[in-house]
Amino acid sequence: MKQAIERIIQTNGQESIHAIASALYIHGRTLERRFIKETGLSPKQFAKIIQFQASFSQLALKDFKKMNEIVYENGFADQSHFIRVFKAFTGETPRVFSQRTD
């Protein structure tokens, strides 16, 4: 599971769980069962946390010119998807967070 965790972190949660399982030569369901047993989270949940963390860091460090840079660099489908995920984790929109940290 260490290798799966490392791959998820290295790719900022953007590599598919199926691709990770294939690279580790195990079935996707086996990866999921073992991952949950070891971490308490599914690999998909963990990947979402890592994806959010990467986008949050970029936003907090003001490492972007337009919000869309964060959206697409971190693998979100579109800006509304990013806003929904950000709000689910923080309780506020990226714009409110960004203005608050100025």
Side-chain angles (χ1 to χ4, degrees):
M1 288 307 90
K2 181 181 177 189
Q3 290 174 324
I5 290 169
E6 288 172 351
R7 282 185 80 110
I8 292 170
I9 291 170
Q10 288 170 350
T11 62
N12 288 333
Q14 294 185 47
E15 185 174 16
S16 76
I17 303 308
H18 177 73
I20 293 170
S22 293
L24 298 175
Y25 303 105
I26 59 176
H27 192 273
R29 183 67 182 125
T30 302
L31 172 64
E32 186 173 350
R33 279 194 307 274
R34 289 182 185 171
F35 203 97
I36 290 170
K37 184 179 177 187
E38 295 290 325
T39 67
L41 297 169
S42 73
K44 191 171 184 175
Q45 289 170 320
F46 183 70
K48 284 184 180 205
I49 291 168
I50 297 301
Q51 181 187 32
F52 166 75
Q53 186 177 24
S55 62
F56 182 83
S57 294
Q58 194 174 359
L59 186 65
L61 295 172
K62 310 280 189 228
D63 186 20
F64 64 98
K65 292 179 183 169
K66 293 182 180 180
M67 189 71 67
N68 277 341
E69 288 179 27
I70 294 173
V71 171
Y72 297 115
E73 286 176 17
N74 291 291
F76 292 98
D78 54 33
Q79 192 163 348
S80 65
H81 178 220
F82 171 61
I83 292 168
R84 278 193 314 276
V85 170
F86 193 92
K87 195 168 184 179
F89 276 102
T90 66
E92 59 190 19
T93 66
R95 184 174 311 279
V96 170
F97 173 80
S98 184
Q99 289 170 349
R100 192 171 48 80
T101 59
D102 282 341

